[in-house]
Amino acid sequence: MAQLRNTRQRRLVLDAVRARCDHPSAEDICADVRAADAHISRGTVYRNLNILARGGDILHVKVPGVDRFDRRTQLHYHLLCTGCGKLTDVPAPYDASLDEALAAGTGYRVARHRMLFEGLCPDCQAARRPDEK
Amino acid sequence: MAQLRNTRQRRLVLDAVRARCDHPSAEDICADVRAADAHISRGTVYRNLNILARGGDILHVKVPGVDRFDRRTQLHYHLLCTGCGKLTDVPAPYDASLDEALAAGTGYRVARHRMLFEGLCPDCQAARRPDEK
DNA sequence: ATCCCTGCAAAATATTTGCATTCCG
DNA sequence: CGGAATGCAAATATTTTGCAGGGAT
């Protein structure tokens, strides 16, 4: 793999992801980066998010709809509220033994797994309580 | 919810999903359905796949890239080969206790979780053995 | 000086939707 | 008959990519 350059744009993208405690989409980062420099193109942001994720500097979280990114680079699970779309981290450790077990059972070289929980957050539950079906 | 009608198109879409042992994308189903009737529109196929999934007649499998569908309606996990894109079922049961544990810990009403393993299938491992990095 | 990176715009992908018409129940 | 559903096309939404010029090492 070629060596990477440390460009101003790449630095801004990385800083933008690290500055956020939530799970920003590419568009979110695009907006943040442009607050610092309005000339940075969308293509550059997408390219850099992919490069940074591949390099392990950020985590690429794949959720139905839009991809999101995470400054936490350690693998972990996510919880999506299907009511409001809020995405949070699951307070449980990544279970690497699942990968090993599946590798042993299938012959695959299992690199990782993604786990996404879906449900309703307390706020959305309250909002729907009236017309609970 | 309104009552559903049993149209010829809906039947064809459902049959097409059930006829496949793999995990077809919407486009796959579109092609299959059109083999039976070339006039069926893409919009109708997408609409029916969503309706059928919502109704529990088929399973909507959300994978990065394209969404796929599954005739197995029971919740289960998937294994994606990042080399060739092949998607297979994981031979392990769905673990509902994870949902309960997370619900208890977060206050969310957890409906389900999706787990996607990523790795290289035996064929792709063999193909890459030469330039193993 | 290399050649990776950027900006811009167009392209590629995937899915949804408005609307007039059709047809199921 | 009434209202879902369809077909078609246009619209969305998201992400990728070709290309020419620019900048990092």
Side-chain angles (χ1 to χ4, degrees):
Chain A
M1 185 179 285
Q3 76 271 15
L4 301 181
R5 286 183 185 170
N6 180 26
T7 61
R8 190 172 48 84
Q9 290 85 343
R10 182 157 304 155
R11 240 175 296 124
L12 284 172
V13 169
L14 180 54
D15 290 347
V17 174
R18 289 192 169 147
R20 296 188 63 131
C21 301
D22 57 344
H23 298 79
S25 66
E27 285 304 313
D28 291 334
I29 295 303
C30 215
D32 289 357
V33 164
R34 282 176 170 170
D37 180 340
H39 291 235
I40 294 181
S41 83
R42 176 169 286 107
T44 294
V45 172
Y46 275 88
R47 261 184 299 236
N48 278 311
L49 285 171
N50 285 333
I51 289 170
L52 291 168
R54 207 180 314 135
D57 295 307
I58 60 176
L59 199 65
H60 193 164
V61 183
K62 306 201 174 187
V63 199
V66 272
D67 286 6
R68 313 233 194 163
F69 296 88
D70 196 326
R71 60 177 183 174
R72 283 186 61 195
T73 54
Q74 193 180 76
L75 289 178
H76 59 283
Y77 306 133
H78 292 95
L79 170 56
L80 176 70
C81 174
T82 52
C84 60
K86 186 168 58 182
L87 187 69
T88 57
D89 290 342
V90 169
Y94 182 86
D95 185 354
S97 72
L98 295 175
D99 296 331
E100 295 159 20
L102 186 59
T106 62
Y108 273 60
R109 189 192 302 155
V110 179
R112 59 171 294 184
H113 64 270
R114 302 174 185 277
M115 184 143 46
L116 179 67
F117 290 83
E118 296 179 0
L120 278 184
C121 69
D123 287 350
C124 287
Q125 285 177 50
R128 299 199 178 183
R129 190 61 36 83
D131 52 295
E132 184 117 48
K133 74 145 186 302
Chain B
M1 184 180 287
Q3 78 275 13
L4 300 181
R5 288 183 185 174
N6 180 26
T7 62
R8 190 171 49 84
Q9 289 87 341
R10 182 157 302 154
R11 242 175 295 125
L12 284 172
V13 169
L14 179 54
D15 290 347
V17 175
R18 289 192 169 149
R20 297 188 64 131
C21 300
D22 57 344
H23 299 78
S25 66
E27 285 304 313
D28 292 333
I29 295 303
C30 215
D32 290 356
V33 163
R34 282 177 170 171
D37 181 340
H39 291 237
I40 293 181
S41 83
R42 176 169 285 105
T44 295
V45 172
Y46 275 89
R47 261 184 298 233
N48 278 311
L49 285 171
N50 285 333
I51 289 170
L52 290 168
R54 207 180 315 133
D57 295 308
I58 61 177
L59 199 64
H60 193 163
V61 183
K62 306 201 174 187
V63 199
V66 272
D67 285 6
R68 313 237 193 159
F69 296 88
D70 196 327
R71 60 177 184 172
R72 282 186 61 194
T73 54
Q74 193 180 75
L75 289 179
H76 58 284
Y77 305 133
H78 291 95
L79 169 56
L80 176 70
C81 174
T82 52
C84 61
K86 186 168 59 183
L87 187 69
T88 57
D89 289 342
V90 169
Y94 181 87
D95 185 355
S97 72
L98 296 174
D99 296 331
E100 294 160 18
L102 186 60
T106 62
Y108 272 60
R109 189 191 305 158
V110 179
R112 60 171 291 186
H113 63 271
R114 302 173 185 276
M115 181 141 50
L116 178 68
F117 289 84
E118 297 179 0
L120 278 183
C121 70
D123 287 350
C124 286
Q125 286 177 49
R128 299 200 177 183
R129 191 61 35 84
D131 52 293
E132 183 117 53
K133 74 147 188 301

